[in-house]
Amino acid sequence: MQNLESMVRRLVSIGYIKSERVKRCMLAVDRARFVPERCRWEAYLDRPLPLMCGQTISAPHMVALMLELLDVEYGMKVLEIGTGSGYHACLLACLVGDGGRVVTVERIPEVHEYAVERLKRCPHSDRIRAVLGDGSLGFKEEAPYDRILVTCGAPDVPPPLLEQLADDGLMVIPVGGTFFQELIRVRKKGKKIRKERFGDVAFVPMMGKYGWR
Ligand code: SAH
């Protein structure tokens, strides 16, 4: 039986966790609190786990990789699209610290409810706002965001997300097909957009206006 410490130690040794702050937060947020009861024994294994309505919680190495690419700093405002279990949102809330804020959007009501329940157990829940809605539209009310994390696969970068990204902001998003995508990091500098690629990934599809129909 693995535990949280051994999961994190392994992610450090295989190079997915690179920074001290991501390591600290992955140790501070217990993944077991977010996975469904029936697969709790698998919580510390490096594999994606089923949620409900055909949705999944990403594997820990993917969670770590995305957090490292996002380069979240203390006090930032972060938008997440695809709340799922709430695990990633709770980690983001740890990274932004007490001066920061996390808005996370989920489109399936049952999944949103599941996450709201789990996020009550997140030690940083006071910094998190969980919204039910179509995240391909972003969440204009609290824009701009210093960082945007998308945890579902989009056909392309949704224009509203690009608009709501702050100048000098970063977005990490899987872009491509409904099964496989490429992990992309978008950097916005004035009117210039720079894209970097980080390999093939497999996320559940982003549905909605700027997602898949
Ligand atoms: N970050 C999550 C994993 C997310 S799985 C975690 O830590 O557990 C991807 C989620 O994206 C699913 O719950 C799915 O319902 C959601 N999703 C798909 N399209 C969406 C959209 N347009 N807006 C918001 N959420 C969406």
Side-chain angles (χ1 to χ4, degrees):
M1 178 70 186
Q2 284 216 354
N3 57 32
L4 185 62
E5 287 72 27
S6 64
M7 178 189 97
V8 171
R9 210 179 309 122
R10 185 171 169 277
L11 293 175
V12 171
S13 73
I14 58 179
Y16 281 100
I17 294 179
K18 297 185 196 300
S19 66
E20 206 43 54
R21 46 195 166 139
V22 169
K23 181 181 171 190
R24 185 176 53 78
C25 288
M26 287 198 75
L27 281 171
V29 176
D30 189 354
R31 188 172 186 248
R33 292 188 174 194
F34 293 88
V35 308
E37 206 73 53
R38 63 182 144 58
C39 41
R40 195 139 301 172
W41 66 276
E42 295 173 291
Y44 307 121
L45 300 181
D46 194 12
R47 58 171 76 140
L49 293 174
L51 201 50
M52 53 175 64
C53 313
Q55 306 305 322
T56 52
I57 307 175
S58 310
H61 76 270
M62 189 49 63
V63 170
L65 171 68
M66 292 176 109
L67 291 178
E68 291 290 1
L69 290 177
L70 206 58
D71 192 24
V72 178
E73 286 169 30
Y74 187 86
M76 282 185 163
K77 191 192 269 185
V78 183
L79 174 68
E80 180 193 36
I81 308 304
T83 313
S85 65
Y87 176 54
H88 232 150
C90 184
L91 286 164
L92 289 170
C94 173
L95 286 167
V96 297
D98 52 16
R101 182 156 177 80
V102 176
V103 177
T104 179
V105 186
E106 170 59 52
R107 63 173 276 277
I108 301 178
E110 292 94 314
V111 178
H112 167 76
E113 287 306 320
Y114 176 98
V116 167
E117 271 314 301
R118 297 304 177 292
L119 284 171
K120 284 181 190 158
R121 303 177 210 163
C122 170
H124 322 288
S125 56
D126 53 323
R127 302 165 205 160
I128 306 175
R129 177 172 178 183
V131 177
L132 175 65
D134 177 4
S136 77
L137 301 167
F139 191 67
K140 212 169 176 185
E141 196 180 306
E142 297 210 27
Y145 302 95
D146 304 298
R147 298 287 186 264
I148 298 181
L149 175 67
V150 181
T151 62
C152 42
D156 208 341
V157 180
L161 295 187
L162 214 44
E163 269 160 40
Q164 292 168 29
L165 186 63
D167 197 25
D168 244 353
L170 289 175
M171 174 175 5
V172 172
I173 176 172
V175 168
T178 50
F179 290 104
F180 298 103
Q181 308 88 20
E182 206 172 13
L183 192 62
I184 306 269
R185 179 164 65 182
V186 179
R187 195 181 291 270
K188 179 172 170 180
K189 268 213 187 295
K191 286 204 158 45
K192 275 208 189 122
I193 303 296
R194 210 182 99 204
K195 287 183 186 172
E196 297 164 275
R197 290 155 209 288
F198 294 92
D200 294 336
V201 290
F203 281 82
V204 299
M206 173 191 274
M207 308 304 287
K209 180 149 189 230
Y210 295 96
W212 302 93
R213 301 289 172 130

